[in-house]
Amino acid sequence: MPTIKEMLAANEQWANDIKEADPQYFIRAAKEQKPELLWVGCADSRVGPDQLIGLPMGSIFVHRNIGNIFATNDLNCLAVLEYAIDELRVPHIIVCGHYRCGGVQAAMTHSGIQPVDLWLDQIRFIYQRHKDELGELDKMARWNRLAELNVEAQVHNICRNTVVREAWKRGQEVNVLGLIYDIHDGRLKQLGLEFRSQAEWEAHYS
Ligand SMILES: [Zn+2]
């Protein structure tokens, strides 16, 4: 881990490099942000979005928490979604989970009353809903499959949110999709979940 002095030196170098390559960069950035993507991902330090999908800084509006949960009763999640859609008019939303997620594992293996336990209850409910399917898998496959089912549930939570439904109703582009990241090989995989309208989403869940 570098010292704070080294981090500040690295920052200065970075800012100088950017300015040299693109003298207008910080002038543009200071005016406004125009992200093309809202990323809902896990807080896991190995799953930062910028490098995973190779988008330049300023392209992604980010929300991360333990277990990449879009909690329908969490003011933070709701405010991020509302601001992304109604103010920034972000056209794409990605929910990205990952295999070997510590949050998913904790939800599978124990429960309790600490804040992390209570937060992860939301994944425990998903586990309960899919108990039959998950019960037939071995430990590793069950862990991975629950990470996928969690992404699906969070995509669902976003699509049924009033902000998204109203945006679709007025014809605003909102494309919601689910991805899973494999920490072993750095690859992202699409989960066959992609919704561009209320009709597409309803057709999938009916
Ligand atoms: Zn995680």
Side-chain angles (χ1 to χ4, degrees), residues 42-44 46-47 65-68 97-104 183:
C42 186
D44 189 303
R46 299 163 293 180
V47 200
N65 59 49
I66 298 173
N68 44 271
H98 67 101
Y99 295 134
R100 304 234 176 178
C101 178
V104 172
I183 277 173

Side-chain angles (χ1 to χ4, degrees), residues 58-75:
S59 311
I60 314 177
F61 195 60
V62 180
H63 180 77
R64 292 170 72 183
N65 59 49
I66 298 173
N68 44 271
I69 296 168
F70 186 87
T72 53
N73 59 354
D74 178 55
L75 205 51

Side-chain angles (χ1 to χ4, degrees), residues 86-202:
D86 289 350
E87 299 299 325
L88 297 172
R89 307 229 150 209
V90 171
H92 302 284
I93 301 175
I94 287 178
V95 176
C96 183
H98 67 101
Y99 295 134
R100 304 234 176 178
C101 178
V104 172
Q105 186 184 40
M108 277 171 44
T109 53
H110 65 273
S111 58
I113 55 164
Q114 297 303 317
V116 174
D117 300 316
L118 298 175
W119 177 251
L120 293 175
D121 274 346
Q122 298 166 101
I123 302 181
R124 273 182 210 101
F125 296 143
I126 299 165
Y127 185 89
Q128 289 301 324
R129 277 208 302 277
H130 298 271
K131 216 175 170 182
D132 292 345
E133 179 195 342
L134 293 166
E136 288 176 6
L137 304 173
D138 67 31
K139 202 174 146 195
M140 188 57 72
R142 189 158 63 229
W143 186 8
N144 288 342
R145 180 63 184 140
L146 184 56
E148 295 177 352
L149 290 168
N150 180 40
V151 170
E152 187 173 332
Q154 307 317 324
V155 166
H156 176 64
N157 281 346
I158 289 172
C159 290
R160 70 192 174 107
N161 183 279
T162 317
V163 170
V164 172
R165 294 162 76 107
E166 287 298 317
W168 277 339
K169 209 189 278 178
R170 64 178 176 259
Q172 185 177 330
E173 184 187 5
V174 181
N175 176 25
V176 187
L177 66 92
L179 299 178
I180 193 107
Y181 176 71
D182 194 335
I183 277 173
H184 286 101
D185 60 12
R187 301 293 171 93
L188 284 164
K189 186 172 82 181
Q190 199 166 351
L191 287 176
L193 298 161
E194 185 165 8
F195 305 108
R196 298 162 195 271
S197 67
Q198 177 97 10
E200 276 186 13
W201 174 63
E202 280 173 0

